[in-house]
Amino acid sequence: MRKQIAAANWKMNLSYQEGEQLLDAILNSGIALSGNRFAVFAVPAPYLAMAKSKMANHPNFYVAAQNMYSKKSGAFTGEISAPMLVSLGIDHVIIGHSERREYFNESNELLAEKVKIALEHNITPIFCCGEALPVREANEQNSFVSTQLQESLFSLTAEELQKVVIAYEPIWAIGTGKTASSEQAQEMHQHIRNEIAAKYGKEIAETISILYGGSVKANNAKEIFGKPDVDGGLVGGASLIADEFNQILSGLK
Ligand code: PGA
């Protein structure tokens, strides 16, 4: 069975102390994950080491960076490299969140480089894709997402691709309280899996975890995660509330 993952994306929220309290509240709630069920916390960069140390005795709980640069080192003021994450023991990174694409002009080409360098360092990229509202209204979401996959992921070898987690996040559903219906999520996840199958074969496609993101909450997680091609979620707002996120974790298949 594929990995089922609930990934928290804190974005640029919470003080260090608030972050500690939130993690303590979740980890001390008695929730335990085993087998194929995983939690990932994408915390702000200055909190990575703290979050990592808190996960020590919690199997299947991981920490992710929210972003990473495409170069290994050098004169890139303010950026964070893959080797830096490795040196902190961080093994997941979100790549290509729509906010990075929109506000920091990250292109499919740059994201391809970031995915590659993450994999070279044994860091699991959580690669985000998804369309904006006008694209959905024009019913062009499938070809839009296909292009994102082709330009950022499909030069990987099959072995490399199997180490990538994909997150489908329709931009019109992020932070808006407007979730894609579970049918819309399933439809796109199936499309993504079909695209992978067409390029790499059905067997490989069946191994890739595809998360849904966009206003996932405690009250809709179970239904969305229950769809056959949905393997968990990437959660923004609701991941900032311990009870909400715990319930989302319990909604994993
Ligand atoms: P949201 O954010 O859950 O607040 O909609 C999801 C995301 O941007 O990853």
Side-chain angles (χ1 to χ4, degrees):
M1 200 201 179
R2 291 186 289 270
K3 279 186 176 175
Q4 304 295 307
I5 304 165
N9 177 10
W10 290 5
K11 310 191 181 188
M12 200 175 71
N13 292 299
L14 307 178
S15 68
Y16 184 91
Q17 291 74 17
E18 288 165 342
E20 284 196 295
Q21 282 165 15
L22 176 56
L23 287 178
D24 287 341
I26 293 168
L27 295 169
N28 299 335
S29 68
I31 189 144
L33 298 173
S34 58
N36 284 325
R37 294 159 72 236
F38 296 85
V40 178
F41 294 86
V43 305
Y47 312 165
L48 286 168
M50 172 274 283
K52 173 78 188 169
S53 74
K54 287 196 186 286
M55 304 297 152
N57 297 315
H58 296 274
N60 293 18
F61 281 72
Y62 290 86
V63 180
Q66 295 177 9
N67 177 37
M68 185 195 83
Y69 197 45
S70 57
K71 302 278 188 278
K72 285 185 199 158
S73 66
F76 303 103
T77 302
E79 291 295 332
I80 297 167
S81 70
M84 289 177 187
L85 296 179
V86 170
S87 71
L88 286 172
I90 303 300
D91 37 28
H92 289 73
V93 63
I94 297 178
I95 298 287
H97 190 278
S98 61
E99 287 148 21
R100 301 289 321 167
R101 294 173 183 266
E102 184 179 352
Y103 306 130
F104 303 95
N105 299 318
E106 296 197 355
S107 64
N108 290 344
E109 195 184 19
L110 173 72
L111 300 175
E113 288 174 28
K114 290 189 176 193
V115 167
K116 189 96 190 148
I117 197 148
L119 291 171
E120 276 170 28
H121 290 82
N122 288 320
I123 299 171
T124 302
I126 302 173
F127 174 79
C128 301
C129 57
E131 80 288 351
L133 190 57
V135 175
R136 168 72 54 172
E137 283 172 346
N139 199 27
E140 283 165 1
Q141 65 274 11
N142 284 7
S143 62
F144 184 88
V145 169
S146 295
T147 303
Q148 290 182 319
L149 298 174
Q150 274 152 20
E151 295 186 356
S152 297
L153 294 186
F154 284 3
S155 2
L156 298 173
T157 64
E159 200 189 329
E160 288 170 330
L161 187 80
Q162 283 182 285
K163 295 177 183 151
V164 176
V165 171
I166 296 175
Y168 167 61
E169 298 207 302
I171 297 169
W172 46 271
I174 296 179
T176 56
K178 196 172 157 185
T179 329
S181 66
S182 53
E183 289 76 23
Q184 283 173 319
Q186 167 57 24
E187 205 181 326
M188 178 58 84
H189 284 225
Q190 193 171 26
H191 169 68
I192 293 172
R193 211 176 293 290
N194 287 343
E195 290 288 82
I196 298 170
K199 166 90 184 157
Y200 294 93
K202 202 168 160 32
E203 219 171 287
I204 302 283
E206 285 303 321
T207 66
I208 311 273
S209 298
I210 308 175
L211 317 185
Y212 168 79
S215 298
V216 173
K217 311 275 177 224
N219 64 14
N220 60 23
K222 209 174 163 68
E223 189 196 333
I224 299 171
F225 298 173
K227 292 291 173 186
D229 285 294
V230 180
D231 305 306
L234 180 55
V235 187
S239 75
L240 300 172
I241 304 157
D243 282 353
E244 277 273 323
F245 194 66
N246 275 343
Q247 286 179 56
I248 290 169
L249 282 171
S250 355
L252 288 173
K253 312 194 251 267

